[in-house]
Amino acid sequence: MAEPLTTTMTVSMMLNRTPVQVEIEPSEPLAYTLRERLGLTGTKVSCDVQACGACTVLVDGLPRSACTFLTYEARDRDVLTVEGLAPAKDVLDPLQQAFIAENGFQCGFCTPGMLLAAHAWLSVDADPDADGEDVIEYMSGNLCRCTGYLPIVASILRARNG
Ligand code: FES
Ligand code: FES
């Protein structure tokens, strides 16, 4: 007798520098896997249609909207969420320190996505001459309802300037 078709699959990935295997459904978005299967609720979901940036995580160092990026697509790749941003226990990433110093958040709902999008910029292609307008353009996919953006821009420039 034929085996019944299974609706789940196992994927492996490096998640926050740790190897992880997780059972998923093939059409499952990464945000669901992170939050509901792995308990990493730092990744927020707001619009759920890749329009607000709240769910931004890094896959192989590049920002991805975890609300629409399938977990299957992340198999065998490096995934970084806000839980893995700090380099060590009790040591914040310079971006996190800058957000605190510049009051770059209020309710904090957008902050994980902001941090990861900015981290990608600082890690990969931050122009040392970039100004606030450049940061606003780069971060245009990440929406914030609270801060008016200027403290966020100041935070990112502070981290860039060291
Ligand atoms: S929740 Fe994914 S982009 Fe808005
Ligand atoms: S701090 Fe509240 S949405 Fe940005």
Side-chain angles (χ1 to χ4, degrees):
M1 195 165 90
E3 290 289 317
L5 287 175
T6 178
T7 58
T8 62
M9 61 191 301
T10 301
V11 295
S12 304
M13 66 182 81
M14 288 296 288
L15 177 58
N16 298 332
R17 299 174 292 279
T18 301
V20 164
Q21 280 196 333
V22 60
E23 190 89 359
I24 64 163
E25 295 187 13
S27 61
E28 186 171 308
L30 184 55
Y32 179 88
T33 306
L34 293 169
R35 291 179 55 85
E36 305 300 331
R37 298 195 190 277
L38 298 170
L40 297 181
T41 55
T43 299
K44 304 304 182 197
V45 177
S46 181
C47 70
D48 218 6
V49 292
Q50 202 177 342
C52 76
C55 64
T56 302
V57 299
L58 303 189
V59 179
D60 288 346
L62 297 177
R64 301 294 184 198
S65 295
C67 66
T68 54
F69 192 90
L70 298 183
T71 307
Y72 176 73
E73 297 177 274
R75 70 195 185 285
D76 302 327
R77 299 170 79 175
D78 289 313
V79 176
L80 184 71
T81 73
V82 71
E83 289 89 348
L85 188 56
K89 194 173 184 297
D90 300 328
V91 180
L92 292 178
D93 180 87
L95 261 171
Q96 292 171 310
Q97 296 175 23
F99 268 68
I100 292 170
E102 297 286 352
N103 297 313
F105 56 90
Q106 288 185 24
C107 79
F109 196 84
C110 71
T111 309
M114 292 282 182
L115 287 168
L116 288 162
H119 183 73
W121 181 63
L122 293 174
S123 303
V124 177
D125 61 357
D127 178 352
D129 298 321
D131 59 15
E133 290 297 320
D134 297 318
V135 174
I136 288 170
E137 183 176 343
Y138 173 78
M139 297 293 294
S140 61
N142 290 73
L143 306 184
C144 176
R145 295 190 302 180
C146 305
T147 63
Y149 296 102
L150 293 182
I152 294 172
V153 173
S155 302
I156 295 168
L157 289 176
R158 184 186 187 104
R160 190 278 310 272
N161 294 337

